[in-house]
Amino acid sequence: MPDAPSTLDRDTALLERLLGSVLVEQEGRAFRERVFWLRDRAAALRADPEGVDAEELVDAIRRLSSSQLGPIVRACTMSLQLSNIAEELERLRRRRAHDADDQGPQRESLAAAAATTAGLSRDERARALADLDVALVMTAHPTEATRRSIFDHQQRVWALMETLDDPRLGPTRRRAFEDELRETLTVWWQTDDVRARRPRPDDEVRRTLLHVESVLYDAVPDLLLELSRTLGVAWPPDGGGAAARTAGATTAVVGPPDGTVGTRTVVTSGRAPIRFGSWAGGDMDGNPNVGPETIASSLQRHRRTALRLLGERVDRLAVLFSQADDRVFVTHELKASIEKDERELPRVTFQGASANEPFRRKLTFVAARLDRAAQGGEGGYDGVEDLIADLELLRASCSSTLVAHGRIARLLAQARTFGFLVAALDVRQSAGPLQHATAHLIDGYADADEAGRQELLVTALTGAPRFTATVDDEDAASTIDGIAAVGRAIQDHGPHAIGRLIIAMARQPSDVLCTQFLLTHTAETSDTPAVPIVPLFETVEDLAGAEGTMGDLYATQPYAEHLERCGGAQEIMLGYSDSAKDGGFIASQWGLYGAQERLVAQADEQGISVRFFHGRGGSTSRGGGPHHRAILSQPPGSVRGRIAITEQGETLSQRYPHPELAVRSLEQTVSAVVLATLTPPAEPRPEYREHLDTLTTISRETYRALVFEDERFPRLLHQAAPLAELSEMNIGSRPAKRGGTTGVDGLRAIPWVFAWMQNRILLPAWYGTGTALEHGDRDLQREMIDRWPFFRTIVSMLEMSLFKSDLGVAERYLELVDPDARELWTPIREEHDRVQRVVLEIRGTDNLLDATPALQRRLAHRNPWIDPLSHIQVALLRRSRDGDDDAHGPLLSTIGGIAAGMRNTG
């Protein structure tokens, strides 16, 4: 008897059946049959590549006109996006199954972290947890190929599929929900999948905030409650007064979150343990569309969103909190607060409220003050601290542990985590424009060497704070205005409005000092709070020189004073993207590892608290992959409870599609930070380091010989991938290149990776590693996998990239390449075969991902829909480049479709 289909297969079949009925109605039965024939043919070819004629599939595509291929591309893309929804629903089922299972905590959970660290002393755990500070920074890189309208339809399908998963549904209700699914799929089918215009920065701000308001805002309290339950972190997260208390001291509380009354060890700090930032609207690096106006407007939108979200939840609480004053003990402070509100806001009323309902009365005033803060009217809150103080007054009068730790505690957690801005805005600018602007303000600066520039900057920073030089250069003036907007943002929205000022392509101390100078020069008042200045070291060479750069900065008096104003803390950003593009995968990973080790040791000697900001992307070549594994593979002592990580592009949709899955993703990140802090990995043995040094040298030389030294390579890249076409997709507000530079050097890392993902080669993720690993000792490499998390992560990421790559499909793109550039296919193919063979030898398995069969099946089941898209893309690339105007639109759609199937862009 055949095995029953899995729930994933069942959901996939249902969605394909419903989509098929939509295709019949919209395009006809013959169209539906053609689409599924392509899918079935691709699946048969994968199952039996020797027994199935691949040319039959390719010829069928070639016989269709470009206008006929357009709807087929859309159907394949929708099928892949529906497959992704089915996979996410399966993740949700697994999450709930683990929660219902009493066999032990789910791996990578906070409960698992608590069990692992249970043997440590109470004080040791409390001290570490008091410093817990995880920052997740959402970026608006052009990697999210899905339109907002399509995203909304996907969310509706998500909700309906979750409803259909309820076993209590009868056939009548099931049919009704399936009909609603068909309607949603039909509207989705009738919606353009490619944006009509390139998104503006404001569009990116709205899209970024959408993830917060639709999922993360209500997921965070669940995470923080779990932190309290498993690890004793204060619930709700402690506010400003906590800093005066001793972290980890035994503190009398109203009661733990389970509702029992008593005393327990509570870990306190002056902030929420997780917070959010955003680059959308503040990333000026190479983006002429971002500047002072977008910085100001982005923060205004942040503020409006935050106050609206808080107001909605206060209104709901006012409906719920109907307590009568003779049933609770109303404190004198709450009574006095209500009397003050009545005097200051005499016209505020609550319809339907009784005179003896003080909680509703107070919450009515709270809502009114939030509304006035949003409108800028008199009587509004000055800041989130005033709101928190009012909510704490209510908690103190709850006369119930259960109520005090319930909805009002969740609201406090949201207020302390998201504040009045939802997320701090990061501002980024490249070192070149910053230096160029400084040269127009300081005489002699442009002609000075590095030592001379540092001397001029120290003099400027210790002397008069302002210069009166008129700047006639348009680019310099624009940069100066952008930095001035940072100071104005802090004046308008408070000291935490700007999370950090990031210097892209930082290479030398003057890059940082000139930024400090520009901040000082443009400050409207001398008491403007200090903004953290964060150098971003991006290339392999810059990472190697980071210790020298920071050492010179720490020894410079004006910068030392700046760090003191920042609480003695220095944040350093690590660039995964450009370091991988510059030196290849292993050289990038090992360079990042070594830089962290050296920078931590240096900061410890200086008494400086250093935190690393990991600029990770979605793809493995840009540091992508599971956060938990990546954090645990960092050098020992480099985390210490503090980390910042970018959440780029499509990773937001993948990690946070649903509140429960968002909590799971967040706890995987936070639990890894806890473990890396309390149980860091052992120092790697000397022979491990020697082996990585050798691997780095060989892999980097092999990689650069192809990518940067072979004059044929740029033509291979541009001809065998839709790189030029990618720049025409309206998926980001920033250009694909830095300035007007051509070739690989000028290409941004994101479209560089995106292009190789499209043609299924994924070259940056593995090229050079096969030659390097082949020279190593297999027994040593197997030992390193077992004993060194860092090397284990490298091999896992390689294995994932190799599984996602498909050189059989990729070879079709060679039809588009000049004969001499096509000769590079031989070394590429040989290197791919080499790295796959060596990885399997190290793993001791017959096939890639044999150790993770569930992941293997999940990735493989998308291929029958991706493969036809790849073959169609080749055909349309040829036609479009030959002048077929009808091919252009469907071609752009294939880019989004393949991105959806690969679940990675940049």
Side-chain angles (χ1 to χ4, degrees), residues 92-103:
L92 183 60
R93 288 193 194 97
R94 290 201 306 272
R95 165 76 171 174
R96 291 172 175 175
H98 276 290
D99 193 44
D101 189 354
D102 60 359
Q103 297 303 308

Side-chain angles (χ1 to χ4, degrees), residues 11-50:
D11 287 346
T12 302
L14 171 63
L15 288 168
E16 288 184 352
R17 175 172 62 82
L18 296 176
L19 177 60
S21 66
V22 172
L23 297 181
V24 169
E25 185 204 55
Q26 294 292 300
E27 303 291 334
R29 186 168 299 278
F31 175 80
R32 189 263 182 211
E33 296 306 319
R34 178 180 293 161
V35 168
F36 280 86
W37 180 88
L38 289 171
R39 189 277 311 268
D40 295 340
R41 211 63 195 153
L45 181 59
R46 284 213 166 248
D48 185 12
E50 301 297 327

Side-chain angles (χ1 to χ4, degrees), residues 149-166:
S149 297
I150 299 294
F151 176 80
D152 291 340
H153 296 318
Q154 291 171 351
Q155 290 297 100
R156 184 59 188 153
V157 172
W158 226 116
L160 289 167
M161 287 297 293
E162 187 179 359
T163 302
L164 283 171
D165 214 29
D166 187 343

